[in-house]
């Protein structure tokens, strides 16, 4: 009788989540171990929980970049640690390796990628592997290979296996002939960087695969993303991350953009939440497959002034990089995102004051922890 009462309570507690079967719950109530199900990646076994089995199995490519680790943390809280696999071609830091499944994966090796998806029963694929704007201009051949050939592998494999696939785009997908303030979802896109060209290509190829083959393709145009937990990866908006670390460490920052260069920005928590919300949105609510999302726009001077409210001794000088400046001047000053707000309820939480307080708090706490060890 007690066992049945506990079973009823457990099922009731699950609420709106997909319930586990009674056959899975009863052995646990009797104190008997049910047969374990394990996910084997990178030579390690991770026991899957009952709840894990009801959730999507997600692979993140390029997972050691600025966004992959943060998104993995959110997805693991939402769907279970063992249902989210980070992958990259680099060796992860120890704390990332031990925080959940990690596996080597090269998006240019389609055989390896297929094996990974089949062996781990992947249902969602988040494709973050990319060569960013400033780095891409210095190595066009590499950018073409990773950003275009790699994308084709992802789209083909996702179509073959019926995956839901997310490929990020960016403000870099626009060019000097696009409306800049604000930039709408639909307008002229003629970027002048290989990074931007590859992102327009990704948007159009993804939408083509959706209409031609029924691929569940989803895409967001990200602003510049700001995070305290990861290092910049060669993007034009990197200054907006570097300035915080310099402000705390030395009190001096040399900016490589003009002081009045306005660009759209977003705190990483808003970015990863938007990604999850789009991935979870019912397909019939998505009028488009590519959406702008926006949060705030500011110049280096405005960001400096906001940081100086907390750290008044911060000194900023300017040594403009002509390559990055030219890229920035062809990008939007703000993104118009009413479609995302209408279709799937997008709403940002961080504006400039909240961004500055959060970044400085995280960096200070991180430094204190580092000093303690």
């Amino acid at each position: 009788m007690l066992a049945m009462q506990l079973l009823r309570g457990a099922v009731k507690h699950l609420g709106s989540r997909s319930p586990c079967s009674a056959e899975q719950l009863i052995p646990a109530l009797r104190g008997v171990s049910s047969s374990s199900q394990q996910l084997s990646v990178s030579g390690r076994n991770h026991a899957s929980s009952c709840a894990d089995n009801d959730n999507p199995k997600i692979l993140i490519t390029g997972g050691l970049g600025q966004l992959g680790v943060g998104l993995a943390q959110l997805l693991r809280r939402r769907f279970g640690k063992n249902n989210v696999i980070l992958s990259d071609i680099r060796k992860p830091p120890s704390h990332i390796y031990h925080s959940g499944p990690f596996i080597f994966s090269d998006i240019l090796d389609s055989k390896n990628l297929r094996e990974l998806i089949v062996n781990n029963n992947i249902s969602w694929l988040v494709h973050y592997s990319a060569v960013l704007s400033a780095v891409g201009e210095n190595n066009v051949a590499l950018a073409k290979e990773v950003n275009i050939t790699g994308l084709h592998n992802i789209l083909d494999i996702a179509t073959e296996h019926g995956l839901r696939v997310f490929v990020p785009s960016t403000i870099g997908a626009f060019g000097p002939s696009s409306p800049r303030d604000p930039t709408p979802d639909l307008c002229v896109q003629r970027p002048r960087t290989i990074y931007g060209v590859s992102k327009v290509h990704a948007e159009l190829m993804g939408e083509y695969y959706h209409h031609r083959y029924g691929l569940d393709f989803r895409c967001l145009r990200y602003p510049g993303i700001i995070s305290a937990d990861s290092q910049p990866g060669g993007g034009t908006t990197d200054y907006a991350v570097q300035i915080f670390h310099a402000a705390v460490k030395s009190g001096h920052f040399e900016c490589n953009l003009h002081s009045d260069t306005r660009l759209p920005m977003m705190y990483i928590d808003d970015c990863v939440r938007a990604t999850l919300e789009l991935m979870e949105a019912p397909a019939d609510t998505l009028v488009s497959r590519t959406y702008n999302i926006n949060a705030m726009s500011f110049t280096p001077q405005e960001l400096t002034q906001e940081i100086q409210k907390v750290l008044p001794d911060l000194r900023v000088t300017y040594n403009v990089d002509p390559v990055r400046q030219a890229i920035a001047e062809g990008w939007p000053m703000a993104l118009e995102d009413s479609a995302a707000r209408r279709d799937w309820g997008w709403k940002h939480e961080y504006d400039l004051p909240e961004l500055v307080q959060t970044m400085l708090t995280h960096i200070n706490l991180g430094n204190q922890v580092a000093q303690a060890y």
Side-chain angles (χ1 to χ4, degrees):
M1 180 64 70
L2 176 60
M4 290 306 298
Q5 290 174 344
L6 290 171
L7 175 58
R8 292 190 191 100
V11 172
K12 181 179 180 181
H13 180 69
L14 289 171
S16 61
R17 296 185 58 183
S18 301
C20 302
S21 67
E23 288 78 9
Q24 289 172 290
L25 286 168
I26 288 173
L29 293 172
R30 290 176 177 166
V32 178
S33 299
S34 59
S35 61
S36 63
Q37 297 182 353
Q38 295 182 324
L39 168 67
S40 178
V41 291
S42 197
R44 296 176 292 148
N45 290 328
H46 298 270
S48 296
S49 70
C50 165
D52 285 348
N53 296 330
D54 301 319
N55 290 321
K57 302 297 175 74
I58 304 167
L59 172 68
I60 302 175
T61 70
L64 297 182
Q66 184 186 25
L67 296 174
V69 173
L71 180 63
Q73 291 172 346
L74 177 64
L75 294 176
R76 284 168 176 166
R77 289 196 298 268
R78 176 71 176 85
F79 299 120
K81 180 176 74 172
N82 299 318
N83 282 331
V84 181
I85 303 175
L86 275 177
S87 71
D88 211 305
I89 59 173
R90 295 179 290 150
K91 181 180 178 181
S94 178
H95 71 281
I96 293 176
Y97 183 82
H98 292 290
S99 66
F102 181 90
I103 194 167
F104 171 90
S105 180
D106 183 352
I107 62 167
L108 298 176
D109 184 345
S110 59
K111 182 177 183 293
N112 166 260
L113 194 58
R114 281 186 175 87
E115 289 176 349
L116 197 165
I117 286 167
V118 171
N119 290 344
N120 292 288
N121 195 29
I122 298 300
S123 52
W124 288 11
L125 178 55
V126 177
H127 178 51
Y128 275 149
S129 296
V131 175
L132 300 184
S133 57
V135 173
E137 291 307 286
N138 290 324
N139 194 337
V140 174
L142 177 64
K144 288 194 300 182
E145 187 175 29
V146 173
N147 295 6
I148 297 177
T149 303
L151 170 79
H152 291 180
N153 289 339
I154 291 293
L155 294 179
D156 287 341
I157 293 170
T159 301
E160 290 170 16
H161 297 284
L163 308 185
R164 179 173 299 182
V165 61
F166 175 84
V167 178
S169 189
T170 169
I171 53 176
F174 299 103
S177 55
S178 305
R180 296 190 64 211
D181 192 18
T183 303
D185 281 292
L186 296 176
C187 66
V188 172
Q189 292 178 253
R190 300 186 71 84
R192 292 182 177 175
T193 66
I194 186 58
Y195 175 66
V197 168
S198 71
K199 287 303 181 184
V200 175
H201 180 79
E203 293 177 15
L204 295 177
M205 286 296 292
E207 291 176 10
Y208 173 76
Y209 270 63
H210 170 68
H211 293 295
R212 178 68 173 82
Y213 303 113
L215 175 65
D216 191 351
F217 170 83
R218 304 178 183 214
C219 178
L220 292 175
R221 295 193 186 106
Y222 289 155
I225 305 302
I226 301 174
S227 168
D229 297 325
S230 56
Q231 293 300 313
T236 300
T237 58
D238 283 354
Y239 88 88
V241 176
Q242 295 163 337
I243 189 173
F244 287 101
H245 292 278
V248 171
K249 184 177 180 180
S250 66
H252 172 251
F253 177 66
E254 184 175 88
C255 185
N256 52 31
L257 296 180
H258 284 304
S259 63
D260 60 352
T261 305
R262 184 173 301 279
L263 292 169
M265 301 284 185
M266 180 176 288
Y267 184 55
I268 190 170
D269 285 10
D270 275 343
C271 177
V272 297
R273 179 174 54 82
T275 304
L276 173 58
E277 289 175 1
L278 178 66
M279 288 296 281
E280 288 193 301
D284 59 5
T285 67
L286 302 180
V287 176
S288 175
R289 288 284 156 171
T290 300
Y291 287 92
N292 289 348
I293 52 171
N294 197 51
M296 68 195 92
S297 292
F298 54 73
T299 67
Q301 183 177 22
E302 289 169 347
L303 178 58
T304 298
Q305 290 171 347
E306 193 66 35
I307 296 173
Q308 287 172 335
K309 293 178 182 178
V310 182
L311 299 173
D313 294 333
L314 171 64
R315 182 171 62 91
V316 175
T317 56
Y318 294 89
N319 182 15
V320 176
D321 176 353
V323 173
R324 295 192 188 218
Q325 184 64 40
I327 293 172
E329 289 174 359
W331 282 0
M333 299 168 68
L335 292 172
E336 201 284 312
D337 64 353
S338 60
R341 295 175 187 267
R342 178 195 66 227
D343 292 353
W344 46 276
W346 161 243
K347 184 179 180 181
H348 74 281
E349 295 181 355
Y350 289 83
D351 286 307
L352 183 55
E354 293 83 8
L355 168 73
V356 168
Q357 291 290 341
T358 303
M359 285 290 290
L360 292 178
T361 298
H362 279 318
I363 292 171
N364 277 314
L365 286 175
N367 289 343
Q368 290 172 13
V369 171
Q371 291 172 2
Y373 286 92

